[in-house]
């Protein structure tokens, strides 16, 4: 059996504040296999977003071991972590984080250019086509609806064909119908590419559409339940 693509072993994360030390993650143990779709659910303040930030190497655990895509994140420098994110992860946030002065095509292409990909614009155009925005490539974020902006953000996340896709409340700023379109698109892209998906949500019914659901409470995994059948990897 192959090693898990994401592995947390007794992970703690504490931050210092004016009121003293705040324990955010309190002994997290979790393994995620290649190609799995896992939902992370829990009340506000339970540690969901922090856990995703640790997976992405944007926050460093205070103790414990975090291995992602074969890398021990705790042993890596900031430059190494930046290269790790570039090469292995795609991230979709609740806020779209698009650059207002760039077109949709440029927003998707620029991270690829920074990664040194000579086919950056061709890949960006292909990614925008995959999310149904081939007719909007030259539009700026201010000319797009919220759902279209999130499609651009999703295209940017998947354009480099990352091994891991991290989504933090990707429908939080969208109406119900638009959010459902984004979720269906995200699951379709995940199944098509075989990426591993970690989806943070407050919506239990949405989380249950993943193969497993990890319930967080007060910085700990309270339980793990089975969701929908595991997404099939294309060709598998």
């Amino acid at each position: 059996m192959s090693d898990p693509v994401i592995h947390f072993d007794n992970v703690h994360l504490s931050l210092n504040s004016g009121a003293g030390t705040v324990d955010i993650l309190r002994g997290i143990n979790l393994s995620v296999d290649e190609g799995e779709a896992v939902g992370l659910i829990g009340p506000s303040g339970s540690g969901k977003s922090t856990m995703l930030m640790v997976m992405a190497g944007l926050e460093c655990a205070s103790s414990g071991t975090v291995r992602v895509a074969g890398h021990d994140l705790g042993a890596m420098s900031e430059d190494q972590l930046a290269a790790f994110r570039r090469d292995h992860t795609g991230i979709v946030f609740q806020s779209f984080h698009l650059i207002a002065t760039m077109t949709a095509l440029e927003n998707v292409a620029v991270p690829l250019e920074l990664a040194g990909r000579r086919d950056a614009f061709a890949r960006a155009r292909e990614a925008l086509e995959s999310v149904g925005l081939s007719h909007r490539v030259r539009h700026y974020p201010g000319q797009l609806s919220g759902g279209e902006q999130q499609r651009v953000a999703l295209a940017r996340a998947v354009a480099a064909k990352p091994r891991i896709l991290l989504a933090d409340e990707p429908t939080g700023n969208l109406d119900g119908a638009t959010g459902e379109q984004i979720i269906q698109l995200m699951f379709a892209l995940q199944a098509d590419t075989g990426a591993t998906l970690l989806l943070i949500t407050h919506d239990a019914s949405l989380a249950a559409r993943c193969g497993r659901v990890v319930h967080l409470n007060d910085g700990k995994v309270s339980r793990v339940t089975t969701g929908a059948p595991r997404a099939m990897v294309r060709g598998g």
Side-chain angles (χ1 to χ4, degrees):
M1 178 180 258
S2 61
D3 292 334
V5 69
I6 298 171
H7 181 67
F8 277 40
D9 183 7
N10 195 30
V11 171
H12 292 253
L13 190 148
S14 301
L15 297 176
N16 294 320
S17 70
T21 301
V22 179
D23 297 321
I24 300 175
L25 300 181
R26 305 169 60 202
I28 299 287
N29 293 294
L30 179 68
S31 290
V32 179
D33 291 333
E34 191 91 39
E36 244 192 309
V38 176
L40 300 178
I41 191 166
S44 296
S46 60
K48 302 186 302 299
S49 292
T50 299
M51 196 169 163
L52 183 143
M53 298 285 274
V54 172
M55 288 178 188
L58 292 167
E59 289 279 4
C60 294
S62 303
S63 63
T65 301
V66 179
R67 290 190 65 83
V68 182
H71 297 269
D72 180 354
L73 300 194
M76 297 170 72
S77 67
E78 287 298 322
D79 286 345
Q80 289 172 325
L81 288 169
F84 157 78
R85 285 190 294 274
R86 178 196 69 202
D87 295 339
H88 296 286
T89 67
I91 308 175
V92 183
F93 295 101
Q94 178 175 342
S95 299
F96 317 125
H97 295 300
L98 301 179
I99 300 172
T101 56
M102 289 185 178
T103 64
L105 184 64
E106 290 167 338
N107 266 282
V108 178
V110 163
L112 297 170
E113 281 194 308
L114 293 175
R117 298 184 186 270
R118 294 183 179 180
D119 60 346
F121 278 85
R123 280 194 176 221
R125 192 177 294 276
E126 180 183 334
L128 285 165
E129 183 176 352
S130 74
V131 299
L133 287 181
S134 58
H135 62 301
R136 303 288 259 168
V137 295
R138 301 202 179 279
H139 288 73
Y140 292 89
Q143 298 172 313
L144 302 174
S145 68
E148 288 173 329
Q149 290 185 62
Q150 191 63 300
R151 284 174 183 256
V152 175
L154 184 55
R156 181 180 57 193
V158 302
K161 296 180 170 56
R163 190 173 176 186
I164 300 161
L165 181 59
L166 306 174
D168 189 355
E169 295 283 1
T171 63
N173 284 334
L174 305 174
D175 63 72
T178 304
E180 176 60 23
Q181 292 174 358
I182 292 296
I183 289 299
Q184 288 186 5
L185 182 58
M186 186 170 62
F187 278 122
L189 290 169
Q190 185 254 344
D192 186 53
T193 62
T196 303
L197 172 65
L198 273 294
L199 170 63
I200 289 179
T201 180
H202 283 92
D203 185 343
S205 63
L206 174 54
R209 292 162 69 172
C210 297
R212 278 193 299 155
V213 183
V214 177
H215 302 256
L216 296 182
N217 193 28
D218 197 23
K220 299 178 181 179
V221 176
S222 58
R223 61 194 172 102
V224 179
T225 57
T226 302
R230 175 175 167 170
M232 296 297 293
V233 177
R234 183 174 60 181

